[in-house]
Amino acid sequence: MPLLELAQTTLSRLNRVKVSREGVDEAKALDERCSELLQKTAPITRLAQNANLLKNEGVRISTVPEVSSVIETVNNVSARFQELAKSTTLTQGRRWIGLTNKIDALTQKITDVQNKDWEGYFENNFFGGPHPSQRSTRLAPTPYNERAMEIYKELFYQFSKYRSKIPQDADDFTTLRNLSNKLSKISFQEDVPVAVKRFFEETSSSTGASLELLTMDVIEWLRSNNLLNNYNIRAKY
């Protein structure tokens, strides 16, 4: 990114001047400007690294028009400093404040754009199933579904963290893809008869299921799914 190169060049000049100039006050002032500029540009360095990673992984990165304005400001400040290499050259008028404010604004703008690009890519390229709480409301609480839901929940919560957090490296992307693939392969018993669903709902309650719910259709379904021996009948009193 041109802005980073310009900032690094400016820092290099500041350091050279600080060493060559006499006077503790001047050296201290230049050192403060160096430290501040390093602090201001550090987030942009991280964002540039993020952008390279995302591009390498196939994520489309939008351009940020505001970069041109910041580069122009950096060039102007750098040119004035080359003419008179003193700390007061940098801080004259609103020159330094204007530069640092623009860098801050650019950092926020790039962050917003990058997050939006990532959210769009995430929605269109990874698992798009519902939250476990939504998924479970449409399922009969069969033993198979309960086991599958436990796995679904564990994977989903790991997976969903990446929705608002851009992966930090290639290993993160591999982990995300693996989680997405595993979630996509989880299956549930969807075609459970209404009577069977009601039976399981009642057996999961504190009062248990009434014998009236244990119809022949329910018994047959339990038998065909090897679940008939999982249940015992007990009197309430």
Side-chain angles (χ1 to χ4, degrees):
M1 183 178 292
L3 177 59
L4 295 177
E5 296 173 3
L6 287 167
Q8 290 167 355
T9 299
T10 302
L11 285 171
S12 177
R13 293 196 184 105
L14 289 174
N15 281 320
R16 288 200 300 270
V17 172
K18 183 183 70 174
V19 172
S20 63
R21 289 193 62 88
E22 295 181 358
V24 176
D25 290 343
E26 179 66 14
K28 181 180 179 181
L30 288 172
D31 189 62
E32 289 175 353
R33 298 288 79 75
C34 284
S35 297
E36 186 177 0
L37 193 56
L38 279 172
Q39 184 180 7
K40 293 291 184 181
T41 57
I44 294 181
T45 300
R46 290 193 294 270
L47 288 167
Q49 293 169 345
N50 282 350
N52 288 332
L53 172 65
L54 292 173
K55 287 179 181 178
N56 290 338
E57 295 293 341
V59 182
R60 180 185 174 278
I61 302 299
S62 301
T63 58
V64 180
E66 289 83 354
V67 170
S68 298
S69 175
V70 177
I71 291 176
E72 182 180 357
T73 300
V74 171
N75 283 333
N76 290 337
V77 173
S78 179
R80 299 293 80 77
F81 186 73
Q82 288 179 18
E83 295 173 0
L84 183 60
K86 295 182 62 176
S87 61
T88 53
T89 303
L90 298 173
T91 57
Q92 184 178 2
R94 293 185 55 82
R95 186 175 292 160
W96 188 258
I97 294 176
L99 172 61
T100 55
N101 285 347
K102 278 195 172 184
I103 291 175
D104 287 341
L106 179 63
T107 298
Q108 187 59 55
K109 181 64 177 181
I110 295 175
T111 299
D112 293 342
V113 169
Q114 207 168 89
N115 286 339
K116 185 176 181 180
D117 288 340
W118 170 243
E119 289 171 6
Y121 183 84
F122 187 97
E123 294 296 332
N124 293 319
N125 292 273
F126 296 107
F127 179 72
H131 189 278
S133 61
Q134 296 176 320
R135 193 76 175 86
S136 61
T137 58
R138 302 198 296 268
L139 295 172
T142 66
Y144 179 90
N145 281 344
E146 290 180 348
R147 289 192 299 270
M149 181 53 67
E150 286 302 313
I151 298 173
Y152 186 88
K153 285 180 179 178
E154 181 180 354
L155 295 176
F156 188 90
Y157 290 131
Q158 296 179 51
F159 168 79
S160 61
K161 294 178 182 177
Y162 289 100
R163 188 182 303 274
S164 57
K165 180 183 177 183
I166 297 175
Q168 298 300 298
D169 50 39
D171 288 340
D172 259 1
F173 264 98
T174 299
T175 299
L176 174 57
R177 291 192 177 97
N178 287 338
L179 289 169
S180 180
N181 290 336
K182 288 178 180 179
L183 282 166
S184 299
K185 293 177 181 178
I186 294 178
S187 62
F188 295 95
Q189 288 179 321
E190 306 277 2
D191 55 344
V192 177
V194 174
V196 174
K197 181 178 180 180
R198 186 182 176 194
F199 171 78
F200 279 115
E201 289 173 346
E202 292 300 318
T203 57
S204 300
S205 68
S206 59
T207 57
S210 168
L211 279 177
E212 293 179 349
L213 298 177
L214 196 61
T215 64
M216 292 306 300
D217 289 340
V218 172
I219 292 174
E220 183 57 33
W221 191 95
L222 292 173
R223 181 181 288 112
S224 64
N225 284 273
N226 298 317
L227 294 174
L228 193 59
N229 293 329
N230 288 15
Y231 298 91
N232 294 317
I233 297 175
R234 296 180 181 177
K236 285 185 177 181
Y237 308 105

